[in-house]
Structures are given as C-alpha cells and as structure tokens.
Amino acid sequence: PVTGAWPAATASPRPGTTSTEGTILTTRTKREASRRRPAAIFAAALLASLQVACASSVPAGPRGSTVSAQGAHLPRAPTAQAERPVQATEGSLSAILQRAARSNPKLAAARSRWLASRERPSIARSLPDPLVTYTEMVEPVQTRVGPWERSIQITQRIPFPSKLHAAAAVATEKARVSELEYHVALRDVMAESKLSYYELVYLRRALRIIDQNRTLARQLAEKAAALHAQSKDGTPDAVSLFDTVKAEAELAQLDYDAITIAELARAEEAKLNGILSRKSSTQVGPLKPTRFRPLVAPLEQLTDLAVRRRQEIRAALHRVSAAQHSTRLATLSQVPDFSVGLKHNFVGSSIAPTPG
C-alpha cells in the first residue's frame, strides 16, 4: 500500500511577531490562530479523507512504498493515460503462458534432457556392440597348408543374465526422474509467469488510482491556496497556511508514489520479458483483467494432494528405486560375462605341393 505522512505542525507565532517573505508567514494572535471558519473545517475534512483514500484505495499487493514527504516539490510522474506505445500483442494470461511454454530456455533445456533420457533404457537393455578384428601378418607364418597371411574375427560379448535387466531398470528410473524434472521446470515457469502477470496488473491499476487521487489533491491544493490568498486582503482566514502546506505535501507524496510505481512496473515488464525469452526493452501491451476465485479446498485435502502429486517427492522416490537397482547391478558385476565369436584365417599358396 502507498501511504503518505503529513509534515509536522509547528507552533503558532507569538502575537506581535512578523515573518519574512521567504517563509510566507503572517502575523497572527493566539486567538486568531485558534479560530476556524466552517470552510476551513470542510477543507481539512476533505484533505483527511484524501489521505485515507490514498492509503486504502490502492489495492494490496506484494510491493509498496512508504515515504515521508516534507512539502518538497518533486517532478511530475507519468500518468496512466501516458503509457508507452504497445509493441507486444498478447494481453491475456493464456497467451502469455503459451508463449512461455514455447520460448522459455530453461524449459527447453529440461525438455531436451528428458527426451534424451527416454532413449537410454532401450540402449541399456541391448547387447554390447559386436567387435570386428582384422589382423595382417608382418611375416606370414608357415603352416602345413601354406603361409598364414591375414585373419578376420567377429566377437560378441554376452553379459551375465540379469545384468541387462538391472541396467535397463536403472536407466528407466532415471528417465522418470528427468521427466518429473521437466514437469517441475514447467510448473515453475508457469508460476513465475502468473506472478509477474498479476504483479504487473496490480501495478498498473495502482498507478491509475494514484493518478485519480493526485487529480483530486491538486484541485484541493489549488482551492486551499486561493482561500489562503484571500485571507491576506484583510478578510478573515478561510484556510490556514498549515492546511495549504499539508495539501501541497500530499500532492508531492502522490507524485513520488506515481514515480515509484511506474519504475516498479517497468522492472516487472523486464522480468516478464525475460521469462518469455524476449528483449528486456520489449513493451508489454494492455493486460486483460482477471477474475479471482476463492480457494475452498480444506487444508487436509491440499496436504494429501501435495504428498501424492508433488513432483519433487515423486522424483525422490524414483531416485531411491534407481539406487536400489544400481546396487543390484554392482553386485552382478562380480560375475563373469560370456563371449562368442567367429574367426577366419586367410592362407596363401603353399610352396611345396601337398600330397594328394
């Protein structure tokens, strides 16, 4: 919430004293300072209600500012009507969520890891690649049938039974963990997109409300200044100097709040552009209002859903299962494997004729 603080009231000047041109104080007696006209009471009531409206009419949100204004004149902040030109076309929450699902790099990386892990179980349950060996003799070896010049051999290693099954089980559990990690990334990106969307809707709505309050405060400040100027002509005081300064301080506070809210809105736009994988300078267009529905589910039901469907808990269970299969695979690694093969030797022509 955006609140403001009135400047501290000072004691009335003593009777018979005068003030300088710079402080804009006039000579008053204690009796004249304590006397108020109905118009002054009405103006003070309006100013008090303005302060309450400024503090309560701005919708509550996760961010706000509390600044004490002492009547300093701050530069005018941009109003809600002077928004920047629109470049991005999406304005609904569903359009932003769809773009985040397509373009977010964190989500794309998690999906690629999941798709890669899905192929590992079929590789793990397959036999190792066969080995082809070719041998060329530097000097042929003389045999009974002729010189042995070269040979070629094909070998296939066969793991001990249950080894492939255990390795495939480990790869399957890790693939399920990767899938759940992808769903976690998807959930987080959707949540971040929604939070940024609602934050930006809140900030823009707060800026419009502050602009309306600032218009009312400016009107009251101008009216108070006019009534105070009339009191210098010898007429009874309609509005005191304190009421005039209080109105100017509230107007300065609203100007400062508008500047702060506008800066927060620009920062939130940059954050949303980062989620959507766009340049931070991309301007977000008008956002459609969203209707909120109350959450009526009891706490016990929410707790049960969290325990059964929380992706992190399910991923942890699959990691436990993968560790168990890894232990079994490590135990099977102590037993030997088998190998089968086929070898062919190339023998040259014999120098001496062989007996027929």
Side-chain angles (χ1 to χ4, degrees), residues 214-278:
R214 188 169 52 182
T215 301
L216 178 59
R218 187 178 296 109
Q219 295 175 357
L220 292 177
E222 292 175 355
K223 183 63 176 179
L227 294 176
H228 179 67
Q230 293 177 4
S231 65
K232 296 181 179 180
D233 299 334
T235 59
D237 292 343
V239 176
S240 67
L241 177 63
F242 175 73
D243 296 328
T244 305
V245 174
K246 187 164 59 173
E248 290 291 340
E250 180 62 25
L251 182 59
Q253 175 65 50
L254 290 173
D255 287 340
Y256 181 83
D257 291 340
I259 294 174
T260 303
I261 295 297
E263 291 177 352
L264 291 176
R266 287 192 292 269
E268 200 62 39
E269 287 183 3
K271 178 181 178 181
L272 182 59
N273 288 328
I275 297 174
L276 301 180
S277 188
R278 299 187 307 199

Side-chain angles (χ1 to χ4, degrees), residues 61-77:
R63 294 182 179 175
S65 61
T66 303
V67 183
S68 176
Q70 300 297 333
H73 292 280
L74 299 177
R76 300 295 183 183

